[in-house]
Amino acid sequence: MNGAADGPGRGSGLSRRTLLGAAAIAAPLGLGLAACGSASSGASAEATASTGTAAKGGSMRIARPPASSAESLDPASSLSAYEYLGALYNRLVKQAEDGSVLPDLATSWESSADSTTWTFALRKGVTFHNGKAFTSADAAYTLAHILDPKIESPQAAVLSPFLSASGISTPDAGTLVVKLSSPNAEFPSLLMNYNCYVIPDGSAKTIGSTGIGTGPFKLKSFVPAGQGTVLANKNHFGGAPILDSIVFTAIADIQARVNALLAGQVDLIAQTNIDYATSKTVTASSIATTATVKNAEWYVMPMLTKASPFTDVNVREAFKIAYQPTDLLDLALHGRGTVANNNPVPPSDANYLDYKVAPDPDKAKSLLKTAGLSATQQLYTSSYDAVLTPLALAYQSSVKNAGLNISIQTASADSYFTDVWMQKPFCVSYWYTGRPVDQLLNQIFRAGSSYNETTWSDAQFGSVLDAARKESDAAKRKQHYQDAQKILVDRSGSIVPFFADRTTGLSKKVVNYKEYGFEFDYLHIGFAA
């Protein structure tokens, strides 16, 4: 989400969307409820969920963590009610299981030789939920809406360095042309982000409550941080969904979501990573089970670089080398993950840099002494996510050898990403994997981004990312991204101890469960007869 859903909230007073996203971007998760099926796992999930043929009709009950009491159905917003988005909307492009870019509302695209002009051919015969035909005007408006400073969209910081509303044109109803101010060879991949769901032309003032899109479901009701219902869109261009409806219930506390699953009150707990002990309880249940996705999230302890003591790069280095990564992985996750060495780019990414600074408690102690840091430092956590507090406690224990005293402060789950995240100097957070490397580095770590949770600003880091975007040669572009990773590991305010396998809970009636990050393929959700 943050992670916050996929992504978190903002220091500007905006609250984060679970991850804690948008996140941001993985492709589908297909679900169904069926009368029969055998245990199996999908390509990405080590799941005990069943597979089988889902019957037509019915309503699925999903428990989700709310973004905030001010959450919105506007996809561009950092306060978007994330789970609704994939049901209500489509994007120009979407992400395949292997990370490649697939058509959605755009059927094809091509660029000029210098990667500055991109032309998208749009799908014909698509209508919004209100009956209005989808055209290039809607696609152009969506991009301009994201770029509007008043919206404060997390995606704006990713796109605005090379795109402005004046560079977007519509030669005809079926064609969108985007002219960039500087080359970007990976531009279509940035439109897979969940902030990029397409909304109707002129809908900025109402989209947050109406949820009018082209998606497989249309809105019946929505209460921010409360309950809402979506109904099947029989006219969806990809075919009608299997379910008749989905009921979303917002439950801030993770244990309460699990309890609702075990009581048979919900069929799936979304945006939820349950801990090791709880997963054993769920799998022992007669009505529920779990599914696990490898390295689905990365956990982070952001140090607010504009707040004392983290204005000092030497203090940030000390906090990074004071702990033993394997200790944190074992204590917080029971080994269910992969050591990250303070690099949020996953090892599976083609641009990954295998670089680390070895733990050195003695050097950390020396750096802290030089900085004059001796007081106890507060580390904030909450029950919003099951791994946050175990991670905080593991870090507290691991850094004692470096003479670093950490006091754990537990904050309320329902206000954690508004009152603590990006407000307190040191806290625990998380994000979903799945973002293209350009999106990841620019959205979460670049100065000026509303998702830059450490407020870190580094001119060299920004220059390297700019060079990567302009580079058409894939090998040279990769080198730029790897240079950026080294700067991030050495100088940023982010402690990234590990990637976590994500385990969620679902009813044993659910079949064909698949997850590639944090999105659902709502067309495949079904209910047993």
Side-chain angles (χ1 to χ4, degrees):
M1 29 160 110
N2 351 271
D6 174 274
R10 256 66 342 288
S12 60
L14 303 179
S15 152
R16 138 183 180 150
R17 180 41 291 189
T18 323
L19 299 168
L20 203 149
I25 337 179
L29 166 143
L31 308 177
L33 301 181
C36 61
S38 58
S40 177
S41 68
S44 299
E46 302 167 4
T48 52
S50 299
T51 59
T53 303
K56 252 317 212 188
S59 180
M60 176 174 282
R61 304 161 300 170
I62 298 178
R64 67 182 186 91
S68 83
S69 59
E71 64 184 357
S72 166
L73 295 177
D74 184 351
S77 172
S78 63
L79 294 171
S80 60
Y82 177 77
E83 291 79 11
Y84 287 80
L85 303 185
L88 298 174
Y89 305 102
N90 291 98
R91 287 159 294 194
L92 291 175
V93 298
K94 60 185 179 181
Q95 188 172 17
E97 182 176 352
D98 63 1
S100 60
V101 185
L102 292 177
D104 199 4
L105 289 175
T107 56
S108 63
W109 49 91
E110 60 182 10
S111 72
S112 58
D114 62 357
S115 298
T116 59
T117 302
W118 290 85
T119 302
F120 295 83
L122 305 182
R123 192 178 297 276
K124 299 178 180 179
V126 177
T127 58
F128 285 96
H129 299 149
N130 60 2
K132 175 186 174 296
F134 161 70
T135 71
S136 58
D138 305 299
Y141 180 81
T142 296
L143 293 179
H145 178 63
I146 292 170
L147 295 169
D148 186 345
K150 296 191 298 294
I151 304 302
E152 296 184 302
S153 175
Q155 190 67 3
V158 177
L159 300 178
S160 60
F162 53 84
L163 176 62
S164 65
S166 62
I168 304 168
S169 61
T170 55
D172 56 59
T175 306
L176 174 73
V177 176
V178 180
K179 186 170 180 57
L180 310 179
S181 60
S182 58
N184 193 315
E186 298 186 358
F187 176 66
S189 72
L190 302 180
L191 303 182
M192 298 188 297
N193 181 262
Y194 65 79
N195 292 128
C196 296
Y197 282 109
V198 173
I199 62 175
D201 184 12
S203 65
K205 294 182 178 179
T206 59
I207 194 65
S209 59
T210 63
I212 293 174
T214 60
F217 287 84
K218 53 188 177 182
L219 189 69
K220 177 183 179 182
S221 63
F222 169 68
V223 177
Q227 191 172 88
T229 300
V230 295
L231 304 177
N233 174 17
K234 306 298 184 182
N235 297 318
H236 185 250
F237 66 86
I242 293 174
L243 282 173
D244 290 331
S245 64
I246 301 173
V247 177
F248 295 102
T249 300
I251 304 176
D253 184 77
I254 186 172
Q255 190 56 54
R257 294 197 293 275
V258 173
N259 290 343
L261 174 69
L262 294 176
Q265 297 168 345
V266 299
D267 304 304
L268 170 71
I269 48 177
Q271 305 256 1
T272 301
N273 188 13
I274 58 180
D275 61 38
Y276 179 80
T278 303
S279 70
K280 297 303 179 185
T281 300
V282 172
T283 54
S285 163
S286 62
I287 64 171
T289 187
T290 62
T292 300
V293 183
K294 183 71 175 174
N295 289 348
E297 300 173 44
W298 52 276
Y299 282 79
V300 56
M301 288 172 279
M303 300 174 280
L304 209 56
T305 61
K306 291 185 179 179
S308 178
F310 302 117
T311 53
D312 187 339
V313 67
N314 292 317
V315 171
R316 301 199 296 267
E317 180 185 358
F319 274 59
K320 289 180 181 180
I321 63 176
Y323 76 96
Q324 295 289 338
T326 52
D327 288 352
L328 272 59
L329 181 65
D330 291 341
L331 292 171
L333 291 180
H334 292 263
R336 299 185 305 169
T338 303
V339 167
N341 295 312
N342 297 318
N343 185 355
V345 177
S348 58
D349 192 294
N351 298 283
Y352 170 72
L353 174 67
D354 186 8
Y355 168 74
K356 65 180 179 181
V357 177
D360 192 337
D362 291 334
K363 182 180 179 181
K365 186 180 296 185
S366 176
L367 288 170
L368 293 172
K369 182 178 179 180
T370 300
L373 187 66
S374 58
T376 297
Q377 301 301 309
Q378 293 183 330
L379 174 59
Y380 285 82
T381 182
S382 86
S383 61
Y384 186 95
D385 175 88
V387 177
L388 297 184
T389 297
L391 171 55
L393 292 169
Y395 183 80
Q396 178 191 50
S397 174
S398 187
V399 299
K400 287 181 179 178
N401 288 338
L404 187 52
N405 297 315
I406 299 294
S407 172
I408 305 297
Q409 304 294 319
T410 302
S412 174
D414 59 5
S415 60
Y416 187 70
F417 285 108
T418 53
D419 296 346
V420 173
W421 184 75
M422 290 190 70
Q423 305 298 317
K424 302 297 184 182
F426 197 30
C427 71
V428 187
S429 180
Y430 71 107
W431 299 83
Y432 286 149
T433 54
R435 288 172 170 80
V437 67
D438 184 89
Q439 173 98 18
L440 169 65
L441 298 178
N442 279 282
Q443 187 178 53
I444 303 176
F445 299 98
R446 186 157 186 167
S449 171
S450 59
Y451 270 7
N452 180 355
E453 62 186 352
T454 67
T455 66
W456 180 52
S457 178
D458 189 293
Q460 184 183 9
F461 181 75
S463 295
V464 170
L465 292 180
D466 286 341
R469 285 175 157 175
K470 296 175 182 178
E471 182 55 66
S472 59
D473 183 273
K476 293 179 180 178
R477 189 164 64 247
K478 176 179 179 178
Q479 184 60 59
H480 287 313
Y481 286 131
Q482 292 191 335
D483 290 344
Q485 290 170 63
K486 186 176 187 304
I487 295 170
L488 190 156
V489 171
D490 288 340
R491 305 203 291 254
S492 79
S494 297
I495 301 171
V496 185
F498 49 66
F499 298 94
D501 299 346
R502 188 162 84 91
T503 300
T504 194
L506 61 164
S507 167
K508 285 185 176 179
K509 296 178 182 179
V510 174
V511 297
N512 305 331
Y513 179 91
K514 254 187 178 181
E515 183 180 343
Y516 307 116
F518 48 87
E519 292 190 349
F520 298 92
D521 178 1
Y522 288 94
L523 284 174
H524 297 152
I525 297 175
F527 223 174

